[in-house]
Amino acid sequence: MTTALIADDERLARVALLSLLSSHPEIEVVGEADSVASTVTELARLSPDLLFLDIQMPDGFGFEVFERTKVGCPVIFVTAYDAHALRAFEVNALDYLLKPVEPDKLRRALERVGQPRARIPPREDAYAAGDLICLTQGRTMKFARVEEIVAVFAADDYVEIQLASGYRALLPQRLREWQRRLPERFVQIHRSTLVNLHFVDEIEHRGRKWVVRLKNHDQPLTMSRRFAQALRRTLDLG
């Protein structure tokens, strides 16, 4: 049995979530809170296994709970707003559900309770392969692990990220920022291209240039001689 605390200032929202959770007998709601202050109090009193947390409450944002106390359980944010999703995952939230909560999304979130969670590192940290990153395009946010990145391409003041799924995102960042933070499996093959060695299918030497073929990437990439030499040293090929 997993005990849960629901923190939401709207009584009807708490009632709606309680109704959805009635279909999940493995979840026992042991308490409710309607403010940041009462959430902190109930966390200390009940020590629940799971916290459902609203973001906008009368006495502040739900994120302030993390500033006032140590939250020792997984957190599922339940909110009417999608603008805070990135910050929610930066505090290692288990999931981020928008109201009205869809039963299938709630079920998928609950399936992750107790499973190991990937972390999102602080912005200045280096990435690890299993870290989650948020790829934001307009109002769409895509979460993926670093190890899913096939390649990163420079595009003036932007970078284009390609995932193994084929998904592409254009972000307002410089290639050197990604080069600094990505793990060693990512190597530079051109002044405008980083590739994940785990997705390199073939490297071919053609006269004075090298051609790199990636899995899940239709077009071959050119590798300059300078970076080819650096790659050989990285792979200890002499």
Side-chain angles (χ1 to χ4, degrees):
M1 182 70 69
T2 299
T3 59
L5 170 65
I6 297 177
D8 195 310
D9 65 308
E10 298 179 1
R11 185 185 67 82
L12 291 180
R14 298 197 302 271
V15 170
L17 185 54
L18 279 167
S19 177
L20 289 174
L21 289 171
S22 65
S23 300
H24 298 273
E26 75 279 9
I27 304 295
E28 179 187 4
V29 178
V30 294
E32 299 180 28
D34 59 4
S35 65
V36 171
S38 61
T39 301
V40 172
T41 299
E42 292 301 281
L43 280 172
R45 184 176 73 87
L46 299 171
S47 297
D49 302 317
L50 178 64
L51 171 63
F52 291 95
L53 182 60
D54 190 14
I55 288 182
Q56 292 196 355
M57 294 206 266
D59 58 342
F61 286 96
F63 297 111
E64 294 177 31
V65 171
F66 295 86
E67 300 170 2
R68 298 190 191 185
T69 188
K70 179 176 175 58
V71 180
C73 63
V75 177
I76 297 176
F77 281 93
V78 183
T79 177
Y81 306 94
D82 63 2
H84 304 283
L86 178 56
R87 188 175 176 190
F89 281 91
E90 286 178 341
V91 297
N92 209 13
L94 186 68
D95 213 325
Y96 188 97
L97 303 178
L98 291 176
K99 300 175 183 177
V101 176
E102 298 178 18
D104 284 345
K105 291 185 178 180
L106 175 62
R107 175 184 55 78
R108 288 195 292 270
L110 293 176
E111 287 174 352
R112 289 196 286 274
V113 174
Q115 296 180 0
R117 286 173 286 160
R119 73 180 186 99
I120 289 186
R123 284 186 171 86
E124 297 306 318
D125 281 0
Y127 286 127
D131 285 341
L132 282 174
I133 56 172
C134 178
L135 305 177
T136 304
Q137 296 235 93
R139 294 179 58 83
T140 301
M141 287 175 288
K142 170 83 171 177
F143 290 92
R145 284 177 171 78
V146 171
E147 62 195 357
E148 298 176 58
I149 299 175
V150 175
V152 183
F153 304 98
D156 295 325
D157 291 334
Y158 291 77
V159 292
E160 183 183 58
I161 308 293
Q162 182 187 341
L163 300 181
S165 64
Y167 181 88
R168 292 173 179 263
L170 195 64
L171 306 179
Q173 295 168 326
R174 294 293 188 95
L175 187 70
R176 62 175 176 266
E177 296 177 31
W178 284 84
Q179 183 179 18
R180 177 176 59 83
R181 300 186 63 190
L182 288 170
E184 291 183 356
R185 68 170 65 185
F186 288 86
V187 298
Q188 190 166 12
I189 64 168
H190 189 274
R191 60 185 177 82
S192 62
T193 310
L194 299 173
V195 299
N196 185 344
L197 285 176
H198 288 206
F199 289 98
V200 173
D201 188 41
E202 183 180 73
I203 299 177
E204 181 184 356
H205 190 196
R206 291 185 181 176
R208 301 184 63 180
K209 69 177 183 178
W210 297 75
V211 173
V212 179
R213 292 186 176 85
L214 302 177
K215 302 169 187 175
N216 303 307
H217 195 281
D218 295 333
Q219 297 298 321
L221 305 176
T222 298
M223 179 166 59
S224 68
R225 181 178 178 182
R226 176 165 65 94
F227 289 113
Q229 292 173 341
L231 178 58
R232 289 176 64 88
R233 289 193 296 269
T234 299
L235 300 178
D236 197 23
L237 298 177

